[in-house]
């Protein structure tokens, strides 16, 4: 099993993004290339309902891995070698929300606030081979940028279990 030490990762700072500035953090993660298992976790916060928060890599319209809490009010977890995604409605507020996506040989799970809200079987069992090369925090490509805050981003090369996701949600804090 995977041991998660979360007590030391909470901090008093978050990353603030402004889509008008096209700002993002490049965070190449080679473990996401051709990956059959992984987990992505983040705390996110939107200032307005018309804002979007994004992180990941959109290689092309139908290839890549990313999260978005889009301006339409839905959270998207997309693992794409095809046109498929987990979509979950999240009512807008200005609070922090913990979002986790796991992928295990084609089975994706979306967790919000430590609870599994959706499970989906994708038609692909691995990510595209360059998925992690262009991974970004605050953006997914040269046209999609975040307005809002992102904190405590974590990426694992395994699909965390529901108790592990709950442990992270209950032990971390935003700032």
């Amino acid at each position: 099993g995977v041991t998660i030490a979360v007590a030391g990762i909470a901090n008093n700072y978050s990353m603030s993004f402004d889509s008008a500035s096209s700002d993002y953090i490049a965070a190449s993660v080679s473990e996401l290339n051709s990956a059959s298992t992984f987990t992505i976790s983040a705390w996110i916060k939107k200032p307005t309902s018309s804002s979007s928060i994004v992180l990941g890599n959109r290689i092309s319209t139908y290839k890549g891995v990313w999260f978005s809490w889009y301006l339409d009010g839905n959270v998207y977890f997309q693992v794409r070698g095809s046109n498929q995604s987990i979509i979950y409605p999240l009512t807008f507020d200005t609070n922090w929300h913990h979002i986790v996506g796991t992928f295990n040989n084609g089975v994706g799970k979306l967790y919000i606030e430590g609870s599994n809200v959706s499970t989906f079987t994708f038609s692909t069992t691995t990510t595209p081979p360059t998925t992690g090369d262009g991974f970004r925090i605050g953006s997914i490509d040269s046209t999609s940028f975040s307005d809002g805050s992102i904190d405590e981003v974590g990426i694992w090369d395994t699909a965390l279990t529901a108790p592990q996701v709950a442990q992270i949600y209950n032990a971390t804090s935003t700032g």
Side-chain angles (χ1 to χ4, degrees):
V2 174
T3 301
I4 301 174
V6 294
I9 64 174
N11 62 56
N12 295 323
Y13 303 96
S14 64
M15 298 167 280
S16 181
F17 298 93
D18 176 4
S19 65
S21 300
S22 301
D23 51 357
Y24 65 92
I25 296 169
S28 180
V29 183
S30 62
E31 290 78 10
L32 291 176
N33 294 342
S34 301
S36 59
T37 60
F38 66 87
T39 299
I40 302 172
S41 170
W43 284 88
I44 59 177
K45 181 179 177 181
K46 293 186 355 173
T48 67
S49 61
S50 60
S51 301
S52 292
I53 299 287
V54 294
L55 65 142
N57 181 15
R58 181 167 55 193
I59 300 164
S60 67
T61 303
Y62 300 115
K63 290 185 179 178
V65 172
W66 66 91
F67 273 131
S68 59
W69 184 13
Y70 197 61
L71 56 90
D72 67 3
N74 291 312
V75 172
Y76 294 83
F77 175 47
Q78 298 165 316
V79 180
R80 291 181 125 167
S82 63
N83 187 17
Q84 296 178 308
S85 57
I86 296 175
I87 304 170
Y88 184 80
L90 182 59
T91 303
F92 169 74
D93 58 34
T94 57
N95 298 327
W96 284 98
H97 294 281
H98 186 239
I99 311 292
V100 174
T102 66
F103 184 76
N104 189 356
N105 295 300
V107 177
K109 294 184 179 184
L110 177 65
Y111 296 83
I112 297 181
E113 321 310 14
S115 297
N116 182 353
V117 296
S118 186
T119 300
F120 182 79
T121 301
F122 292 93
S123 64
T124 184
T125 57
T126 61
T127 62
T130 59
T131 298
D133 294 348
F135 194 89
R136 298 174 174 199
I137 299 170
S139 174
I140 57 174
D141 60 19
S142 62
T143 62
S144 299
F145 297 92
S146 293
D147 277 314
S149 299
I150 302 173
D151 195 17
E152 305 294 341
V153 175
I155 300 173
W156 290 262
D157 62 0
T158 185
L160 298 182
T161 64
Q164 290 169 326
V165 171
Q167 180 186 6
I168 293 168
Y169 171 68
N170 290 317
T172 59
S173 63
T174 58

